[in-house]
Amino acid sequence: MKNFYSFVGSDVGLWNVTNQNTIVGSALESVQRIEVINSPLNKLTEQGVWALQGFTSNVRYANRNEIVKLQAAQEGLNRNASVCAALIPIKKNAQWWAMSQDERRSIFEEQSHHTEIGLGYLPEIARQLHHSRDLGEQFDFITWFEFAPEHTELFNQLLAQLRATKEWQFVDREIDIRLEKKA
Amino acid sequence: MKNFYSFVGSDVGLWNVTNQNTIVGSALESVQRIEVINSPLNKLTEQGVWALQGFTSNVRYANRNEIVKLQAAQEGLNRNASVCAALIPIKKNAQWWAMSQDERRSIFEEQSHHTEIGLGYLPEIARQLHHSRDLGEQFDFITWFEFAPEHTELFNQLLAQLRATKEWQFVDREIDIRLEKKA
C-alpha cells in the first residue's frame, strides 16, 4: 500500500519536534521526534508514544480550473531547502460528515476559499494531504507541510487565514506540530 | 474498523453463488460460496480462494436534493424477503481518476444519471457501496445489492441501464456475481 504513511511520535526519528501546540480539542502526548514511514501502521511503528496513519488519494473538491493552477504552481516534498515541516492532524465534526458533496464543496471553496488561499502560498509551502477517517483513526486528516526556515512566518499566515474560515468552524480537534530536519 | 467489509470466496459461506460472470477485464476464479465479514482482511479471511475488502464512507457525489430523495425511498440490507444478492466489484481506468471532482460529477450524474437511475429501483433493490481503491485492492469499488427473487428481472434492468451510461466507458474491469442466501 504505497499510498499509506505512518507518523510515529517518540524519541527517535528524522524530524525534531520544535513545538507541539493543541489548537482545539484534546492533546496528543508530547514527543521529541517524529518518524515518517511510507507504510500502514504495523507492529514496529505502533511502538511509538503515538502513531497516526493516513493514505493519499484522488482530489475530493478541486475543479479542473483549480487543479491546473495548483499543478502550475506547486513543488513537491523533499526539497533541499525544506528543513522545516509541520504535521497537522485535524478532525471535523459529525455535522460536516453528514453534509452532501455540494454542501461541503460550498463551504470548502465558495465560502472558505481553501484552495485559493493555499495557491497564494505556492510554491513556498509544499503540502501533502493524508486521509485517516475511513481507517477509524482518531483524526480525519493529517496534513504534512514543508518549507524553508525563512518561510516560517509565511506558513503561520497561511494557517491563520485557514483557521479564520467558515470551514474551520467544523474542526473540533487540531494539533499543530512543528518540526526541523536533523542535520 | 466497523466500516470495513471482507468478501471471501471459497466453498463455505452464507451465500451460494448461482452465477459468476465476467463483464469486462480479467476474471476472478470461480467459487461456490461467499462469506461477508464485517472486518478488514486478516489471516483467517485470506484463506479463501480470493478475498476482497472495502470500506463504507461518506457520500462522494450526491447533492442535498438527491440525498433527501434517497433517504425517503431506500430500505436497508438484511430484509427478510431479500434472499437474492449480487456482489459486483468494478475498477475504473486511470483517466477517471485523473479527473477533477467537477469532471467526475458531471459524468456520474449530469451525463449518466447514476443516482437518478438507482432511485427508480428503490426500495426494491437495496445497495451498499464499499471503497477499495485507497487500500491498493485489485478493484476500486465493491457494490453489494439485495433484493427478493421476484425482483431479479428488475435488478437486471438496473444493471443494463447503468452499463449503457457514459460513466461505464471508464470501467475497465467488472465481475457480476449472483448469490442466494442458504436456507
Side-chain angles (χ1 to χ4, degrees):
Chain A
M1 297 200 270
K2 291 177 295 185
N3 58 324
F4 272 68
Y5 289 84
S6 294
F7 303 89
V8 184
S10 71
D11 57 0
V12 297
L14 181 65
W15 294 91
N16 284 323
V17 175
T18 57
N19 194 43
Q20 183 171 336
N21 189 16
T22 303
I23 306 299
V24 62
S26 59
L28 271 181
E29 190 170 343
S30 291
V31 293
Q32 293 173 278
R33 290 181 183 169
I34 287 175
E35 191 70 284
V36 183
I37 301 166
N38 186 192
S39 85
L41 288 185
N42 56 46
K43 280 180 184 141
L44 201 68
T45 53
E46 285 164 5
Q47 288 172 1
V49 174
W50 47 255
L52 310 175
Q53 67 175 335
F55 53 78
T56 61
S57 188
N58 61 296
V59 293
R60 305 286 170 86
Y61 296 107
N63 63 30
R64 173 54 53 194
N65 180 43
E66 291 156 355
I67 286 179
V68 167
K69 286 190 212 168
L70 286 168
Q71 289 178 340
Q74 71 196 354
E75 294 181 358
L77 301 180
N78 297 312
R79 293 173 294 188
N80 284 336
S82 293
V83 297
C84 290
L87 176 69
I88 305 192
I90 72 167
K91 186 176 171 62
K92 285 178 171 169
N93 63 20
Q95 195 189 343
W96 175 266
W97 292 110
M99 283 193 284
S100 59
Q101 177 69 26
D102 60 323
E103 290 168 338
R104 281 183 276 107
R105 161 75 198 190
S106 169
I107 293 172
F108 181 91
E109 197 59 38
E110 280 70 28
Q111 300 176 59
S112 301
H113 311 287
H114 188 130
T115 299
E116 186 185 330
I117 289 172
L119 273 165
Y121 294 88
L122 295 180
E124 291 84 357
I125 311 298
R127 68 189 283 285
Q128 179 64 61
L129 176 67
H130 309 82
H131 298 264
S132 293
R133 179 171 186 262
D134 291 321
L135 304 175
E137 289 279 303
Q138 57 182 314
F139 295 97
D140 292 340
F141 303 100
I142 303 166
T143 310
W144 177 265
F145 299 90
E146 286 183 5
F147 46 92
E150 61 267 32
H151 295 134
T152 301
E153 204 38 58
L154 201 64
F155 179 64
N156 290 336
Q157 285 172 32
L158 165 61
L159 293 186
Q161 264 197 283
L162 287 172
R163 286 174 183 152
T165 61
K166 178 163 183 189
E167 184 191 355
W168 247 253
Q169 294 174 16
F170 297 87
V171 172
D172 65 7
R173 192 174 178 203
E174 179 177 8
I175 319 284
D176 182 341
I177 305 174
R178 302 300 176 93
L179 305 152
E180 276 181 14
K181 202 182 276 188
K182 280 163 65 180
Chain B
M1 297 201 270
K2 291 177 297 187
N3 58 324
F4 272 68
Y5 289 83
S6 295
F7 302 89
V8 184
S10 71
D11 57 358
V12 298
L14 180 65
W15 294 90
N16 284 324
V17 174
T18 56
N19 194 43
Q20 184 172 334
N21 189 16
T22 303
I23 307 299
V24 61
S26 60
L28 272 181
E29 192 170 343
S30 292
V31 294
Q32 293 173 278
R33 289 180 183 170
I34 287 176
E35 190 70 285
V36 183
I37 301 167
N38 187 190
S39 85
L41 288 186
N42 56 45
K43 280 181 184 143
L44 202 67
T45 53
E46 286 164 6
Q47 288 172 1
V49 174
W50 47 256
L52 310 175
Q53 66 176 336
F55 53 78
T56 61
S57 187
N58 60 296
V59 293
R60 304 287 170 85
Y61 296 106
N63 64 30
R64 173 54 53 194
N65 180 45
E66 291 157 355
I67 287 180
V68 167
K69 287 190 212 168
L70 286 168
Q71 288 178 340
Q74 70 196 355
E75 295 180 358
L77 301 180
N78 296 313
R79 293 172 294 187
N80 284 336
S82 293
V83 297
C84 291
L87 176 69
I88 305 193
I90 72 168
K91 185 174 173 64
K92 285 179 171 170
N93 64 20
Q95 195 189 345
W96 175 265
W97 292 110
M99 283 193 282
S100 59
Q101 178 67 27
D102 60 323
E103 290 168 337
R104 281 182 276 107
R105 160 75 197 190
S106 169
I107 292 172
F108 182 91
E109 197 60 37
E110 280 71 28
Q111 298 177 61
S112 300
H113 311 288
H114 189 130
T115 299
E116 186 185 331
I117 290 172
L119 273 165
Y121 295 87
L122 296 179
E124 291 84 356
I125 311 298
R127 67 189 284 285
Q128 179 65 61
L129 176 66
H130 309 83
H131 298 263
S132 294
R133 180 172 185 264
D134 292 321
L135 303 175
E137 289 278 305
Q138 56 181 316
F139 295 98
D140 292 340
F141 303 101
I142 303 165
T143 310
W144 178 265
F145 299 90
E146 286 183 5
F147 47 92
E150 62 266 32
H151 296 134
T152 300
E153 206 36 58
L154 201 64
F155 179 63
N156 290 336
Q157 285 173 32
L158 165 61
L159 292 186
Q161 263 196 284
L162 287 172
R163 287 174 184 152
T165 62
K166 178 162 182 189
E167 184 192 353
W168 246 253
Q169 295 174 16
F170 297 88
V171 172
D172 64 8
R173 192 174 178 203
E174 178 177 8
I175 319 284
D176 181 340
I177 305 174
R178 301 301 176 90
L179 305 152
E180 277 181 13
K181 203 183 272 186
K182 281 163 64 180

